[in-house]
């Protein structure tokens, strides 16, 4: 008895999902286009959202728009999944009118696109947090140090980051050399790598 009831439920739900999938893709495609239109005009976006964000704060900037557009239709989990899927499309620069085709060919569909955006977003958040912690740690270490006098020739260099050799001895510091043969961009890469 239970098996036949479960089989019947699965068959009916399966048919319903097959019928609903094209409608869902079409609705998400129109949602994506609406988001791009709203984002092109910040005043229109602010007016649309009435200057307030519905629901809890999210790292996904599309979440408030999706919440308002889809108000009262899907569950909170579905809204989160749709907003993440739309954010992944935007991250990949899907053009207006091309969302449905992009989603149709995205391996794993809505769930995979949402998962991929969330993973990347979490990785970016973790890197940002690590950089913030490193900056606070560096500031804490440097707050007791006195500034090092720089020779006037340092001011003649182009703007950017430079590596320097500084001698610290008995609480005082002196600049020995500015390593200016390395481009500021290369120094920036080294500094970022050392801070991670």
């Amino acid at each position: 008895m239970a098996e036949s009831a479960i089989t019947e439920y699965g068959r009916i739900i399966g048919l319903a999902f097959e019928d609903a999938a094209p409608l869902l893709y079409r609705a998400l495609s129109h949602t994506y286009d609406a988001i791009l239109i709203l984002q092109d005009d910040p005043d229109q976006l602010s007016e649309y959202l009435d200057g307030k964000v519905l629901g809890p704060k999210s790292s996904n900037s599309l979440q408030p728009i999706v919440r308002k557009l889809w108000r009262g239709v899907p569950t909170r989990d579905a809204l989160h999944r749709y907003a993440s899927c739309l954010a992944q499309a935007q991250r990949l620069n899907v053009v207006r009118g091309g969302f449905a085709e992009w989603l149709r060919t995205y391996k794993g569909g809505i769930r995979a696109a949402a998962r991929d955006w969330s993973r990347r977003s979490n990785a970016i958040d973790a890197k940002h947090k690590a950089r913030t912690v490193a900056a606070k740690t560096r500031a804490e270490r440097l707050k007791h140090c006195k500034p090092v006098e720089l020779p006037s020739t340092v001011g003649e260099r182009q703007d950017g980051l430079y590596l320097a050799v500084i001698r610290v001895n008995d609480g005082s510091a002196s600049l020995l050399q500015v390593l200016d043969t390395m481009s500021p961009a290369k120094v920036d890469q080294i500094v970022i790598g050392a801070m991670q």
Side-chain angles (χ1 to χ4, degrees):
M1 189 71 135
E3 288 177 359
S4 64
I6 292 168
T7 301
E8 180 66 11
Y9 171 79
R11 186 179 69 75
I12 297 297
I13 288 298
L15 291 172
F17 277 125
E18 283 177 20
D19 291 342
L23 295 174
L24 174 60
Y25 279 38
R26 182 171 168 252
L28 284 173
S29 182
H30 286 294
T31 301
Y32 185 71
D33 291 347
I35 286 169
L36 294 180
I37 290 167
L38 285 169
Q39 287 180 329
D40 280 345
D41 184 352
D43 293 334
Q44 185 182 3
L45 176 60
S46 179
E47 184 181 319
Y48 177 75
L49 293 175
D50 297 327
K52 57 188 171 202
V53 176
L54 304 171
K57 188 171 183 195
S58 171
S59 61
N60 184 346
S61 63
L62 305 186
Q63 190 94 12
I65 304 168
V66 173
R67 273 194 203 114
K68 185 156 184 183
L69 283 170
W70 287 74
R71 186 177 33 224
V73 180
T75 64
R76 175 178 267 178
D77 287 342
L79 278 177
H80 177 73
R81 189 169 44 256
Y82 298 163
S84 297
C85 175
L86 293 161
Q88 176 71 350
Q90 192 168 47
R91 184 181 78 77
L92 296 176
N93 297 317
V94 173
V95 296
R96 223 174 118 195
F99 180 86
E101 178 63 21
W102 170 82
L103 186 56
R104 191 183 64 71
T105 60
Y106 199 94
K107 188 175 180 183
I110 295 169
R111 288 184 187 276
R115 182 188 62 240
D116 293 346
W117 183 85
S118 293
R119 282 183 181 162
R120 185 171 189 280
S121 177
N122 290 341
I124 289 170
D125 289 346
K127 283 183 182 177
H128 176 69
K129 185 176 180 181
R131 281 195 300 269
T132 303
V133 168
K136 285 181 181 177
T137 303
R138 185 177 63 252
E140 185 62 32
R141 289 179 182 161
L142 293 175
K143 77 178 184 182
H144 301 294
C145 297
K146 296 177 185 172
V148 176
E149 294 275 333
L150 296 176
S152 59
T153 57
V154 171
E156 296 171 6
R157 292 173 171 85
Q158 69 181 24
D159 290 346
L161 294 176
Y162 292 91
L163 293 179
V165 179
I166 299 174
R167 174 175 284 136
V168 178
N169 193 11
D170 294 328
S172 66
S174 59
L175 177 70
L176 298 181
Q177 183 179 1
V178 176
L179 306 174
D180 57 1
T181 56
M182 193 179 299
S183 72
K186 181 68 175 168
V187 174
D188 196 29
Q189 288 176 345
I190 291 170
V191 170
I192 290 170
M195 286 170 48
Q196 289 179 346

